[in-house]
Amino acid sequence: MLSGGDILIRCLQEEGVDYVFGYPGGAVLHIYDALFRQNRIRHILVRHEQAATHMADGYARSTGRPGVVLVTSGPGATNAITGIATAYMDSIPMVVISGQVQSHLIGTDSFQETDMIGICRPIVKHSFAVRSAADLALAVKKAFYIATSGRPGPVVIDIPKDITNPTDLVEYEYPQQISLRSYNPAAKGHTGQIKKAVTLLMEAERPMIYAGGGVIQGNGASELTSLTRLLGYPIVNTLMGLGAYPGTDKQFLGMLGMHGTYEANMAMHHCDVLIAVGARFDDRVTNTVAKFCPYAKIIHIDIDPASISKNVMVDVPIVGPVESVLTEMLEVSQAKIGKRTKTQASRLAEWWAQIEGWRKQDSLRVTPSADGITIKPQEAVQAVFRASKGAAYVTTDVGQHQMFAALYYPFDEPRKWINSGGLGTMGFGLPAAMGVQMAFPDALVCCITGEGSIQMNIQELSTCAQYGLPIKIININNRSLGMVKQWQDMQYEGRHSDSYMESLPDFVKLAEAYGHVGIKVERLADLDAALEQAFALQDRLVFVDVIVDRDEHVYPMHVAPNGSMRDMWLKKGVRT
Amino acid sequence: MRRIISVLMENEAGALSRVVGLFAQRNYNIETLTVAPTEDETLSRLTLTTSASDAEVEQITKQLNKLIEVVKLVDLTDGDHIERELMLIKVKATGAQRAEVKRTSDIFRGQIVDVTHNSYTIQLAGTSDKLNAFLRAMSESVVLEVVRSGVSGVSRGEKILAV
Ligand SMILES: Cc1ncc(C[n+]2csc(CCOP(=O)(O)OP(=O)(O)O)c2C)c(N)n1
Ligand SMILES: [Mg+2]
């Protein structure tokens, strides 16, 4: 016989949870007491519940294991909402436990009561309102199963305080197996469809592989890499998919979409067979949907049937886990690859020649500043790549710096690039980096951020001090909400309505105030040395404030509205 | 095109709000909605009608299926089916009007289920089209109140929606 509070903790232990990210309050005091009385799960006390969700998220993205969050009712729960929505948009496995007021007070507008189940409904994969301590174990089991299977996502468990009462004891047994008659995610793809897809791929003259975050979440990166290499086809990754295929490989054409490379977007537009793997034809990829890949037959592999033909109608849908579908595809392809005709081989060679032509555009070329002193934001990212030898975990916030990081820091492995792609949540970067550092204490974890975004969860510098998290923060400081300013330059004749960051703090002093190290870099010549100095301080958090050119834009950029993927701005005032 | 989608879902608190919320969140329209427990007390059956293109309907059914509590669903309009809706209508019935209202009601096989000196309450079951036609036929009368149940339906023949 155990109390609800103890049951909850036991269940989390059964699920192999090592960290819970959270913040206490009235409705979860029994749970916190249960946490105190055990030592297998470590609780990480954040400074704001939003950060707890992003930490759990960073932990989940980097490890593939679900992140766990614990917050109190009312404001604790509402503060967690942005992080839950962030995880939902990027299909990240997460279990969020929210306290609730006592059962008999529900519906009476009692102190710190909010309808958490109602508020989070559109941004969770599922949620549970626990009604008795006896139901708790089953709810937790289901929550972890749902969060981590099929298309992953956040699951909320809302627990009224009385259910965790230490004096009310109930029988406890953790269910070992779970099956839900109403939830059966596909275990493998349809073999007939897979064969059809391979046939189409083998006949292609201008093939393209378009891989997204699903490949990373579905642990299919090595299968994707083998298939791509076997076929010898060009591949692009979405913002969420970076690292699904080695970013420094010659078959890789870069990121595609709104800020994709010239060659990636041109090849997408001209291909005749497109295979989309774990990608969802997001509007930031397709530009005008009606003009998307006008010549292509499309194959789409996805675990979520609702992703298929949602934005773009596809010809060969395959619903299933990417890893198993790609494995099967690889087998079928191996048997067929030798039978490709000479004409096909020469068509493929012509296609590559065309792509090499587009590559010559060198769309990511950086023009150093005229004075030779001012640092360009791209140069800052390139310097981080050099100093970290391309091996760091990199989290970002949202804005120009995020796009520069995506474009100028190639990733050769999955789960090393961590950013909020779907929701685009400023404030994500630092807490996400903290979650990664918790999971990988000895790894180099860089948070590439902007002076706007970093201030959205800057309070977490305190949490970093408490737990000794030696994150390297690279603040691409352009003294403006750069991405907003870029749009205002391009679409509002340069009217910078509230896109400046005035009254910025002295970030070096701020870092020092929290007990960390701060370094400010203003000259290009000092950049490499500063980063090396920062990375050498292996057990310290270092805040590197890099003062960069405030007027730089991110290019290429899709022309909108009504543009196709090949319609791009290549630099200021120059378009395709 | 108008669709009738019938959904079997876990009879749990919160399931209904997820279905309704989904429609609001994704900007799908709901014209009618009815929900009640079934012979199996762990399940409830929800029937809704919506107007949508084929592509939209495909998304609607996929998104509904994605809800964890949805066990099974069918688009009844995909095949032969029977649809029924119940309507209670209270009309002013005085003087010469009384006979006229009764005659119209009889033509539509309505039943007068409540009577006062000044009013009739008529019950009518049928397809939504039939109920609409009756309302049009009653347009000369003074309609005091209309209550409709929303559409429910089943497939014709041996096809069933069950777990
Ligand atoms: C929470 C939140 N609020 C607003 C936005 C809209 N937004 C997108 S980028 C951006 C500017 C970010 O500025 P900064 O962090 O300095 O990055 P920069 O673009 O300058 O590199 C804003 C305000 C957002 N993405 N998230
Ligand atoms: Mg900025």
Side-chain angles (χ1 to χ4, degrees):
Chain A
M1 301 280 273
L2 288 175
S3 73
D6 287 326
I7 288 177
L8 177 65
I9 301 307
R10 285 278 282 273
C11 293
L12 297 179
Q13 291 172 345
E14 290 277 355
E15 287 296 333
V17 172
D18 46 5
Y19 290 108
V20 169
F21 306 98
Y23 208 85
V28 287
L29 283 176
H30 299 325
I31 302 174
Y32 271 83
D33 193 58
L35 267 172
F36 190 85
R37 289 183 278 99
Q38 58 89 51
N39 53 17
R40 277 172 60 192
I41 296 173
R42 192 159 173 221
H43 179 268
I44 305 301
L45 178 70
V46 293
R47 300 298 180 265
H48 187 296
E49 290 88 348
Q50 182 188 349
T53 55
H54 294 327
M55 266 186 101
D57 184 319
Y59 174 94
R61 287 182 205 234
S62 57
T63 62
R65 297 196 300 273
V68 181
V69 177
L70 173 58
V71 294
T72 192
S73 69
T78 55
N79 272 352
I81 291 296
T82 300
I84 298 173
T86 303
Y88 181 72
M89 287 294 275
D90 290 343
S91 308
I92 304 305
M94 183 185 285
V95 173
V96 178
I97 297 153
S98 55
Q100 183 53 275
V101 300
Q102 299 182 61
S103 303
H104 75 275
L105 290 174
I106 290 178
T108 65
D109 302 315
S110 53
F111 178 63
Q112 294 196 327
E113 178 183 1
T114 35
D115 174 12
M116 179 58 168
I117 297 290
I119 289 177
C120 71
R121 189 195 47 72
I123 51 163
V124 293
K125 184 170 173 188
H126 197 54
S127 55
F128 293 91
V130 182
R131 288 286 165 255
S132 81
D135 296 345
L136 197 50
L138 188 60
V140 175
K141 182 77 189 174
K142 285 182 182 172
F144 275 87
Y145 171 57
I146 292 169
T148 54
S149 57
R151 180 177 182 169
V155 175
V156 165
I157 311 175
D158 198 45
I159 310 177
K161 183 171 184 180
D162 49 307
I163 283 169
T164 54
N165 195 337
T167 57
D168 294 343
L169 305 182
V170 297
E171 288 295 339
Y172 166 73
E173 194 187 351
Y174 198 62
Q176 289 310 312
Q177 289 277 297
I178 186 88
S179 91
L180 295 169
R181 63 176 169 182
S182 59
Y183 173 71
N184 297 294
K188 70 187 283 296
H190 188 283
T191 304
Q193 290 292 91
I194 290 174
K195 287 193 172 136
K196 222 161 116 184
V198 172
T199 307
L200 201 57
L201 278 173
M202 292 293 164
E203 288 166 0
E205 297 184 349
R206 298 187 310 279
M208 264 314 278
I209 303 171
Y210 148 49
V215 176
I216 293 170
Q217 294 307 319
N219 297 316
S222 71
E223 289 76 7
L224 176 76
T225 305
S226 307
L227 182 67
T228 306
R229 294 212 165 120
L230 177 79
L231 295 170
Y233 291 172
I235 179 167
V236 291
N237 284 167
T238 66
L239 178 68
M240 290 305 299
L242 295 173
Y245 186 83
T248 53
D249 189 88
K250 62 181 187 320
Q251 274 171 259
F252 185 62
L253 308 190
M255 182 169 83
L256 83 168
M258 178 176 277
H259 290 297
T261 65
Y262 179 73
E263 55 268 36
N265 286 339
M266 291 302 274
M268 283 292 290
H269 185 85
H270 289 93
C271 71
D272 71 343
V273 173
L274 177 69
I275 174 167
V277 194
R280 57 189 180 89
F281 301 87
D282 181 76
D283 52 277
R284 283 296 190 268
V285 160
T286 59
N287 211 359
T288 309
V289 176
K291 296 179 180 171
F292 178 74
C293 292
Y295 316 108
K297 283 245 182 327
I298 303 178
I299 302 160
H300 187 189
I301 305 171
D302 207 293
I303 185 67
D304 179 7
S307 261
I308 295 196
S309 295
K310 181 175 68 178
N311 302 334
V312 170
M313 294 304 282
V314 301
D315 302 280
V316 186
I318 303 170
V319 175
V322 281
E323 186 188 13
S324 99
V325 172
L326 289 173
T327 304
E328 211 175 325
M329 254 182 151
L330 194 60
E331 282 162 18
V332 182
S333 304
Q334 268 154 351
K336 290 199 171 178
I337 196 90
K339 297 181 193 126
R340 272 201 293 207
T341 62
K342 271 209 175 116
T343 13
Q344 259 175 276
S346 73
R347 290 277 154 74
L348 185 59
E350 280 170 35
W351 176 229
W352 270 113
Q354 196 174 3
I355 290 170
E356 292 307 333
W358 290 324
R359 260 187 179 152
K360 290 213 176 72
Q361 178 74 36
D362 199 5
S363 62
L364 299 183
R365 189 179 46 234
V366 185
T367 313
S369 57
D371 60 16
I373 297 170
T374 310
I375 302 168
K376 293 281 184 179
Q378 300 93 323
E379 290 170 332
V381 174
Q382 287 170 327
V384 175
F385 181 83
R386 275 194 304 274
S388 65
K389 305 191 174 56
Y393 285 89
V394 176
T395 74
T396 71
D397 273 292
V398 175
Q400 291 183 320
H401 65 272
Q402 174 192 27
M403 292 302 133
F404 288 134
L407 293 168
Y408 293 90
Y409 195 118
F411 294 88
D412 280 341
E413 285 170 76
R415 299 196 182 279
K416 293 224 136 160
W417 161 248
I418 284 155
N419 86 125
S420 164
L423 198 68
T425 308
M426 288 171 70
F428 175 82
L430 174 57
M434 292 158 63
V436 177
Q437 192 81 74
M438 277 289 170
F440 300 97
D442 300 326
L444 173 60
V445 182
C446 297
C447 168
I448 298 183
T449 183
E451 79 300 320
S453 296
I454 191 67
Q455 294 188 81
M456 284 212 181
N457 268 318
I458 192 86
Q459 76 288 346
E460 296 308 315
L461 286 174
S462 169
T463 312
C464 290
Q466 181 176 350
Y467 298 98
L469 300 175
I471 294 161
K472 306 296 177 268
I473 298 172
I474 293 90
N475 187 36
I476 310 284
N477 190 340
N478 55 9
R479 282 88 67 215
S480 58
L481 302 175
M483 191 55 97
V484 172
K485 179 164 165 271
Q486 173 168 349
W487 284 53
Q488 290 169 339
D489 285 337
M490 296 174 76
Q491 294 176 17
Y492 300 89
E493 296 162 339
R495 291 188 295 280
H496 296 156
S497 178
D498 288 273
S499 57
Y500 283 106
M501 290 303 287
E502 274 149 14
S503 318
L504 285 173
D506 178 334
F507 285 109
V508 170
K509 278 194 187 148
L510 185 69
E512 286 168 359
Y514 281 105
H516 303 305
V517 179
I519 302 175
K520 185 171 181 173
V521 194
E522 289 177 281
R523 304 157 54 94
L524 183 60
D526 302 334
L527 185 56
D528 283 311
L531 288 170
E532 262 157 43
Q533 182 195 345
F535 292 178
L537 292 169
Q538 284 178 14
D539 52 358
R540 299 296 300 274
L541 184 148
V542 186
F543 192 115
V544 190
D545 189 20
V546 187
I547 309 301
V548 299
D549 184 347
R550 64 187 313 168
D551 294 318
E552 194 66 12
H553 284 180
V554 184
Y555 293 108
M557 181 171 178
H558 269 154
V559 173
N562 300 324
S564 71
M565 282 199 83
R566 69 170 165 180
D567 301 316
M568 288 168 267
W569 293 101
L570 298 172
K571 48 182 144 175
K572 277 184 195 165
V574 181
R575 54 165 291 183
T576 50
Chain B
M1 190 190 138
R2 176 172 175 268
R3 300 288 185 144
I4 306 173
I5 297 169
S6 216
V7 182
L8 271 186
M9 57 190 198
E10 300 289 357
N11 191 3
E12 278 167 15
L16 176 62
S17 75
R18 281 186 229 271
V19 172
V20 176
L22 175 71
F23 274 71
Q25 171 189 357
R26 297 202 178 255
N27 216 4
Y28 307 145
N29 91 315
I30 291 188
E31 277 161 13
T32 73
L33 175 77
T34 114
V35 60
T38 65
E39 77 287 0
D40 175 347
E41 65 183 25
T42 66
L43 290 170
S44 59
R45 182 157 172 157
L46 176 151
T47 306
L48 60 89
T49 58
T50 178
S51 286
S53 67
D54 288 356
E56 279 167 339
V57 170
E58 188 180 328
Q59 263 302 303
I60 291 175
T61 54
K62 282 175 170 175
Q63 293 294 346
L64 281 170
N65 263 317
K66 229 171 115 167
L67 295 178
I68 305 290
E69 284 142 338
V70 168
V71 184
K72 234 178 191 180
L73 63 82
V74 62
D75 179 350
L76 292 171
T77 22
D78 271 347
D80 284 344
H81 63 279
I82 299 161
E83 74 164 273
R84 287 292 178 273
E85 189 176 358
L86 182 77
M87 176 163 75
L88 294 172
I89 163 169
K90 197 175 280 187
V91 285
K92 199 160 174 187
T94 46
Q97 276 273 299
R98 272 181 104 77
E100 181 57 32
V101 168
K102 173 140 180 22
R103 205 171 310 123
T104 317
S105 164
D106 286 345
I107 293 169
F108 281 84
R109 293 173 201 270
Q111 283 173 283
I112 296 175
V113 291
D114 192 34
V115 181
T116 71
H117 285 308
N118 300 319
S119 72
Y120 280 150
T121 301
I122 304 161
Q123 168 187 316
L124 193 70
T127 64
S128 302
D129 277 352
K130 176 179 160 179
L131 304 192
N132 293 340
F134 182 66
L135 282 175
R136 279 196 300 276
M138 296 299 288
S139 61
E140 300 289 288
S141 316
V142 181
V143 176
L144 301 169
E145 196 175 350
V146 175
V147 196
R148 297 173 70 149
S149 65
V151 176
S152 43
V154 281
S155 298
R156 281 195 186 274
E158 278 164 28
K159 207 171 142 197
I160 57 166
L161 176 65
V163 276

